Amino acid sequence: MSLLIYQGLTSEEITNLELKDIDLENGTIYIKASNTLNRRTLELLNKQILPLSKYIEEVRQKMLRCNTDKLILNKLGKPISVDGIHSIIEPLKTLFPDRKLNPQTIRMSVICNWLNEKKYDLVKVQELAGHKWPGTTEKYIRVDVNAERELINRYFPLI
């Protein structure tokens, strides 16, 4: 869940993660390129490092039921699938009945937050999200209608 919420990863990116992609010492995670997204190295938050370390060193070892380097395993000890990620989110939908909750909407919310709340610049958000084109990232900018109305009235007043 934290990889969806803090790094804004897609389900596919999560399923493709391998053990070698996590660098706990430097607090980073490497995301491979896909047909639609660029490769990138993202910072892990401090609060993610200890749980990830415990998962890799203890929990994953006990769960493992096949020979795989995939990072995230399902409850059967095999690499998690996109459907598996969706099934983890399914029970959480009742907590947000007025929202369409799925990995894609979580990612969209994260990208919107980076741009509109944290005020990261467009290029930084494009890199964090892995978007190949700035136009893809620009779609997440929320327009402040009141500010636009004020500008229009200031420079083009209706007399």
Side-chain angles (χ1 to χ4, degrees):
M1 282 300 293
S2 75
L3 296 173
L4 288 170
I5 296 168
Y6 298 120
Q7 282 75 31
L9 300 186
T10 67
S11 299
E12 291 81 13
E13 288 173 329
I14 292 172
T15 62
N16 289 329
L17 287 173
E18 295 181 355
L19 290 169
K20 67 181 180 187
D21 298 328
I22 302 292
D23 182 349
L24 294 172
E25 198 169 298
N26 291 309
T28 60
I29 182 168
Y30 175 75
I31 311 302
K32 296 174 196 73
S34 69
N35 291 337
T36 56
L37 298 172
N38 289 327
R39 68 186 165 109
R40 58 207 186 276
T41 300
L42 301 173
E43 287 185 32
L44 293 166
L45 299 181
N46 287 337
K47 60 184 165 185
Q48 290 177 288
I49 294 173
L50 187 57
L52 265 172
S53 175
K54 186 173 182 174
Y55 170 76
I56 291 169
E57 300 300 324
E58 297 173 25
V59 177
R60 186 180 178 282
Q61 297 301 319
K62 291 176 186 173
M63 292 175 62
L64 194 59
R65 298 286 180 259
C66 65
N67 186 17
T68 182
D69 287 331
K70 295 290 184 179
L71 176 67
I72 308 295
L73 304 176
N74 64 21
K75 60 186 174 187
L76 300 176
K78 297 181 179 178
I80 197 163
S81 66
V82 169
D83 288 340
I85 293 170
H86 284 262
S87 70
I88 291 169
I89 292 170
E90 190 66 34
L92 303 174
K93 288 182 177 185
T94 57
L95 300 173
F96 306 94
D98 57 330
R99 305 231 173 163
K100 184 179 177 187
L101 189 66
N102 61 52
Q104 184 179 7
T105 58
I106 293 171
R107 176 176 162 80
M108 291 166 62
S109 177
V110 169
I111 294 169
C112 280
N113 185 50
W114 288 336
L115 281 169
N116 302 300
E117 304 301 321
K118 293 189 175 184
K119 303 291 185 197
Y120 291 173
D121 100 341
L122 185 68
V123 174
K124 180 175 181 169
V125 175
Q126 179 185 353
E127 290 172 4
L128 289 171
H131 293 150
K132 291 189 178 192
W133 307 106
T136 306
T137 311
E138 285 176 335
K139 294 176 188 177
Y140 293 93
I141 296 174
R142 261 189 258 130
V143 178
D144 184 349
V145 177
N146 291 331
E148 280 192 351
R149 185 178 295 129
E150 190 177 307
L151 282 172
I152 291 169
N153 287 336
R154 184 183 316 152
Y155 295 106
F156 304 101
L158 293 174
I159 302 176

